[in-house]
Amino acid sequence: MRGITIRGCGISVPDKVLTNDDLSATLDTSDAWITERTGIKERHVGGITSQMAIEAGRHAIADAGLDPSDIDVVLLATTTPDALVPATSATVQAGIGVPGGAFDLNAACSGFVYGLVAAAGLVAVGSGRVLVIGADALSRITDWDDRTMAVLVGDGAGAVVVEPVDGPGDLLSWNFGADGTLRHLLRCDHGGYLFMDGKEVFRKAVRVVVESAERAIQDAGIQASDVDLLVPHQANLRIIQAACQRLGIPEERTVMVIDRYGNTSSASIPLALDDALRSGRVSPGNHLLLTGFGGGMTWASAVLRWGR
Ligand code: COA
């Protein structure tokens, strides 16, 4: 039996920062409204998916003390590929100098958790190390004159090195979900801009995240009180707070980076994970619950027992 452990983590965000006050200068909105309704204070914009993914991937490989030649597969979760063809992961593979295969995965904001579990599946059938990256440049598919979307989004990338280990490894449980009948709630057609029915997404997101997280907790054979750190998709502070309350996980045990990054889609969970690791909030043996939701709708949760 071959399981996985996470050996290194890295992130990248574009230099350009847009504060709520910057947005209020061009849109009919305010720092007070955005902060109160979303928890967001600023976001990074102007990113290019492949470039952010390359930088985050390099940082993760260096953090693991490895060389690009030690990686077998690049798995890029993204909703905003540089182009329809070629796969953005191939650009990333060449940019980092990874000798192995590469593919993209799109499960919207749940993409990183889908990617992490897919990497565990690859390892189980014999793959070596997988570089799992979540990268998105939502600023490129946002109408900056539309205040309902512009205040929410940001760009970024986060990456982890997933390494094979003998035995069951650190991934204790996972589940995926999708409901394509809800596609109208959050969508972006080719060449168009993001559209969202915010209220309905909010309602559904809380329900699916809680159900999915509860299933992952149960399948891991633990209780909610055993979760040392919740690493949720960062879409709205109030969604995270509502989920925490329903799951019975105190907010102090949750990673919040939405104030600095906004909603970065596939990147938001690895950005949060990296923040938790850098600030010393993760110790070996800790139970981490990763959970995300997004367009589709899709959702996914995973419980890890941190191994290093
Ligand atoms: N600035 C100021 N006012 C705004 C605004 C903005 N950026 N956007 C909307 N408003 C106005 C609305 O027009 C409305 O005005 P009205 O009462 O005069 O009609 C009022 O603020 C309230 O709007 P509403 O849409 O009811 O606010 P809300 O509390 O539902 O918050 C969201 C809106 C988008 C923040 C919230 O619904 C949300 O976060 N939804 C989920 C988003 C999400 O998770 N997306 C990612 C999925 S991966």
Side-chain angles (χ1 to χ4, degrees):
M1 191 178 192
R2 278 156 57 91
I4 59 157
T5 195
I6 292 179
R7 182 161 164 183
C9 192
I11 67 165
S12 168
V13 288
D15 292 336
K16 185 171 180 194
V17 175
L18 268 187
T19 65
N20 291 348
D21 286 335
D22 292 335
L23 289 172
S24 308
T26 55
L27 292 170
D28 180 15
T29 190
S30 65
D31 175 46
W33 192 95
I34 303 168
T35 305
E36 186 195 322
R37 301 288 175 127
T38 72
I40 300 167
K41 299 296 283 183
E42 60 185 37
R43 70 288 287 150
H44 294 251
V45 296
I48 296 171
T49 297
S50 58
Q51 287 180 12
M52 294 187 294
I54 288 168
E55 192 167 287
R58 282 189 182 135
H59 288 320
I61 292 168
D63 187 49
L66 295 168
D67 186 80
S69 62
D70 298 318
I71 306 295
D72 280 24
V73 181
V74 174
L75 196 175
L76 174 66
T78 187
T79 310
T80 50
D82 287 5
L84 290 176
V85 179
T88 305
S89 51
T91 307
V92 175
Q93 173 268 334
I96 298 177
V98 169
F103 66 100
D104 289 11
L105 176 160
N106 180 355
C109 305
S110 323
F112 182 78
V113 180
Y114 270 82
L116 189 64
V117 176
L122 289 170
V123 163
V125 294
S127 169
R129 296 184 188 94
V130 184
L131 181 64
V132 179
I133 309 171
D136 266 308
L138 290 184
S139 72
R140 295 189 178 272
I141 55 168
T142 297
D143 176 357
W144 288 94
D145 293 327
D146 171 9
R147 68 176 181 174
T148 64
M149 283 310 307
V151 301
L152 302 176
V153 301
D155 299 346
V160 295
V161 175
V162 170
E163 181 161 271
V165 291
D166 289 333
D170 302 349
L171 179 64
L172 302 189
S173 67
W174 59 273
N175 67 73
F176 295 163
D179 182 353
T181 66
L182 301 177
R183 67 177 300 281
H184 55 284
L185 295 184
L186 181 48
R187 61 173 200 275
C188 177
D189 295 325
H190 285 302
Y193 291 127
L194 273 172
F195 164 83
M196 180 174 68
D197 179 343
K199 269 199 187 321
E200 207 44 37
V201 170
F202 194 113
R203 264 195 286 273
K204 297 271 194 253
V206 173
R207 187 169 58 74
V208 298
V209 156
V210 169
E211 283 174 10
S212 169
E214 281 177 340
R215 215 171 323 129
I217 289 170
Q218 190 179 359
D219 291 351
I222 63 170
Q223 311 285 323
S225 55
D226 297 322
V227 174
D228 297 293
L229 205 58
L230 173 64
V231 189
H233 171 46
Q234 312 275 313
N236 185 313
L237 179 66
R238 291 183 298 141
I239 293 179
I240 299 173
Q241 288 170 331
C244 280
Q245 198 188 10
R246 282 168 213 206
L247 288 167
I249 296 175
E251 275 180 50
E252 310 83 75
R253 282 198 256 139
T254 303
V255 191
M256 305 274 197
V257 294
I258 189 167
D259 55 327
R260 279 175 280 157
Y261 299 127
N263 183 347
T264 56
S265 194
S266 313
S268 86
I269 289 178
L271 283 173
L273 178 63
D274 187 83
D275 186 82
L277 291 166
R278 307 274 157 231
S279 51
R281 296 182 69 187
V282 183
S283 304
N286 279 176
H287 290 111
L288 272 60
L289 169 59
L290 278 50
T291 184
F293 64 92
M297 284 183 72
T298 63
W299 54 94
S301 298
V303 173
L304 295 164
R305 186 188 295 123
W306 201 257
R308 299 176 67 251

